Amino acid sequence: MPVFPVPIFIAAVLAGFFVIRLVRGETHPTLLALIAVCAVQSAIIALVQHYGVAALRPVQPILALVIPAVGWAAFDQAAGTGVRHWVWHAAGPVAGLICLAVQPVLLDLLIPLSFLVYGAAMLVRLAGGEDSLPHSLLDNGARSLGAWRVLAVALIASALCDVLLAYAHAQGAAQVLAWV
């Protein structure tokens, strides 16, 4: 029976949102890049996990390491600071490529660590409230602040889920894998 997995649905929604925002020209390129990377990652997850496209399996962890860095770039733009020291933000994906070639099991540490660090850094920067986002419109400040906090918490939650999945997999707890 044909299957339409949730990640494909999410990829389609994100792709539609990306196209609408691109056509309207209302969204900064870094935020568009974040939406696009998330859409592609969701599609890759579905293709690998649900349709067995094994050739994309190595792309999945590297693209996962790109997501928090691109999220930070979008956040930096919204905070009015611009992406500084972009080379440091490329370190995660580069380290991921090295891990993939040398010791793939290290990706189980690197990916959650990257998500956790970026999410925590966002929350620290957002502690200043609406003043953390000087490029937000005055009437949208609270909404923008909330959206960036949701992204930060989502990054941290994703890291925690990855750790739970790795632990459950290592312990052979299949019932926990489905729940997470």
Side-chain angles (χ1 to χ4, degrees), residues 97-120:
L97 285 170
I98 293 168
C99 287
L100 193 61
V102 177
Q103 192 70 340
V105 74
L106 292 177
L107 289 166
D108 288 340
L109 286 168
L110 184 60
I111 294 170
L113 181 63
S114 178
F115 275 65
L116 181 66
V117 166
Y118 276 104

Side-chain angles (χ1 to χ4, degrees), residues 34-149:
L34 177 61
I35 295 166
V37 168
C38 289
V40 171
Q41 179 71 342
S42 191
I44 288 173
I45 288 169
L47 291 170
V48 169
Q49 303 297 327
H50 297 281
Y51 297 113
V53 182
L56 293 175
R57 188 172 298 279
V59 177
Q60 193 174 343
I62 305 308
L63 197 55
L65 287 163
V66 170
I67 290 172
V70 173
W72 182 264
F75 171 70
D76 248 0
Q77 183 278 324
T81 55
V83 179
R84 300 168 297 194
H85 311 293
W86 65 269
V87 173
W88 290 111
H89 299 291
V94 169
L97 285 170
I98 293 168
C99 287
L100 193 61
V102 177
Q103 192 70 340
V105 74
L106 292 177
L107 289 166
D108 288 340
L109 286 168
L110 184 60
I111 294 170
L113 181 63
S114 178
F115 275 65
L116 181 66
V117 166
Y118 276 104
M122 279 185 195
L123 287 178
V124 167
R125 290 254 320 260
L126 289 168
E130 291 180 26
D131 291 338
S132 304
L133 302 169
H135 285 219
S136 294
L137 298 174
L138 289 177
D139 59 341
N140 286 340
R143 192 167 43 175
S144 293
L145 183 66
W148 288 112
R149 281 186 177 146

